[in-house]
Amino acid sequence: EKNLPEAVRWYRRAAVKHPEAKFKLGMMLVAGDVEEERKGEGLGLIEEASRKGSKAATEYLLERSEELFEEGKIEEAANHGHPTGQVEMARRCLRGNTPSGEPDLPKFIEFATLAARQGNADGQQLLGSAYCAGDGVGRDWVAAVKWHKLAARQGCVTSMNDLGNIFFLGGNGIERDQKTGIAWYEMGAEQGEKTAQYNLGLRHLKGDGVPKDPKQARHWFAMSAEQNYDDASWKLGVMLVQGQGGEQCFAKGFEQLERAAARGNAGATAFLEKIRSAVKKIT
């Protein structure tokens, strides 16, 4: 004959030393015909069992988190260990999509760290960027490099560009290494990351860390501009108008400049005004 209170009593005694018993006790409370308060206690026991090494408890929580995520209960899924839910909650906290309407940096770091430690590339990238900028944590580029490298190894192109910036500039515990910075820019650019493409174009235009090569600069600006990166459209437009790195083409150059200016790019706007002012003086 089933006797839930008696079973609970014995499992509670065993749970003191055995995580699996703690998990079974939690499951009995969650699934049993008990009051809602006891169900909450049961879930807490399952979470504690997972932390203490119960594989069954960990598997249960992951399955439950997947169900919650599919139901659109993102925060609850995140609290149950769903890494994609944790990333989404981190982004919400950073953007200020919170009950207070203000960014919640401590919670941002908490959720990003939870996802990153589970090996989620987006969580690792978010945590790397936080350490780079000092958002919610002390600025620490050594930690930023650690997390960005983990993300980059999983194909995160944003982290590749960020690593390029960190090594190219140096500082905050990282020695300046332009060669390594360029290598990360190239890795990101070749995989289609528009900011890395722009940064690589800029280095070739200036001869900064690489030989000066307007043709290469124009190539990478064009690749980035195709993805609507406004600074790249500005630089490409100037090069087209002036004939740098290839054939001069006023029509295409003005098209790029006007596109960037229409989106508020100050550099493109200033260059167009300079040209129009010069034309007025001639006419």
Side-chain angles (χ1 to χ4, degrees):
E1 183 181 348
K2 288 185 179 181
N3 189 330
L4 181 61
E6 185 68 10
V8 167
R9 186 172 71 84
W10 282 105
Y11 272 122
R12 195 178 293 280
R13 291 178 64 181
V16 175
K17 293 183 179 180
H18 303 287
E20 293 302 332
K22 192 181 292 288
F23 166 62
K24 288 179 180 179
L25 173 60
M27 287 298 295
M28 291 180 72
L29 293 175
V30 167
D33 185 17
V34 295
E35 59 270 23
E36 202 62 37
E37 183 179 308
R38 299 295 296 281
K39 290 182 185 292
E41 179 191 351
L43 184 57
L45 288 167
I46 294 169
E47 291 171 348
E48 188 177 343
S50 175
R51 288 194 296 271
K52 291 189 175 181
S54 168
K55 291 183 179 180
T58 300
E59 289 173 4
Y60 170 81
L61 289 172
L62 287 173
E63 288 175 9
R64 178 64 182 138
S65 74
E66 191 66 41
E67 292 172 4
L68 290 166
F69 189 81
E70 290 176 0
E71 292 169 8
K73 298 174 181 177
I74 306 301
E75 185 170 4
E76 199 173 342
N79 289 330
H80 277 69
H82 195 282
T84 306
Q86 289 164 348
V87 167
E88 175 58 27
M89 287 305 302
R91 288 175 173 153
R92 290 182 184 183
C93 291
L94 185 61
R95 292 192 301 258
N97 187 7
T98 61
S100 69
E102 298 292 331
D104 187 340
L105 294 181
K107 292 297 287 184
F108 158 65
I109 293 298
E110 179 185 333
F111 282 118
T113 301
L114 287 169
R117 287 177 177 168
Q118 290 196 70
N120 182 280
D122 289 332
Q124 291 165 345
Q125 184 272 321
L126 285 173
L127 196 55
S129 295
Y131 277 111
C132 188
D135 287 335
V137 288
R139 183 170 289 179
D140 182 349
W141 282 14
V142 174
V145 166
K146 168 192 167 182
W147 290 110
H148 276 313
K149 279 186 174 180
L150 288 170
R153 286 170 189 156
Q154 297 191 69
C156 178
V157 292
T158 302
S159 281
M160 294 174 194
N161 178 69
D162 289 344
L163 285 164
N165 288 334
I166 289 171
F167 282 107
F168 198 87
L169 296 171
N172 297 296
I174 296 296
E175 185 177 349
R176 190 180 192 200
D177 184 346
Q178 290 185 321
K179 183 177 180 181
T180 299
I182 292 294
W184 280 113
Y185 284 144
E186 288 175 339
M187 193 179 299
E190 287 164 3
Q191 294 185 53
E193 212 290 319
K194 61 185 179 181
T195 312
Q197 291 169 339
Y198 170 76
N199 283 327
L200 192 56
L202 203 60
R203 304 309 168 204
H204 281 294
L205 181 65
K206 295 179 177 180
D208 193 4
V210 289
K212 190 171 184 178
D213 188 340
K215 186 175 181 180
Q216 276 293 304
R218 185 159 155 171
H219 165 75
W220 288 115
F221 287 148
M223 295 291 286
S224 182
E226 282 181 10
Q227 299 187 71
N228 298 317
Y229 195 76
D230 294 336
D231 279 347
S233 293
W234 161 40
K235 295 292 186 182
L236 177 61
V238 171
M239 295 189 81
L240 287 165
V241 168
Q242 295 180 343
Q244 293 178 280
E247 183 181 355
Q248 189 175 41
C249 184
F250 287 103
K252 289 182 179 179
F254 274 105
E255 181 183 343
Q256 291 291 334
L257 289 163
E258 287 171 350
R259 181 186 302 167
R263 291 176 179 156
N265 186 276
T269 301
F271 190 78
L272 285 170
E273 288 176 355
K274 184 179 178 181
I275 293 174
R276 288 164 183 154
S277 178
V279 170
K280 283 183 181 179
K281 287 180 182 179
I282 296 171
T283 57

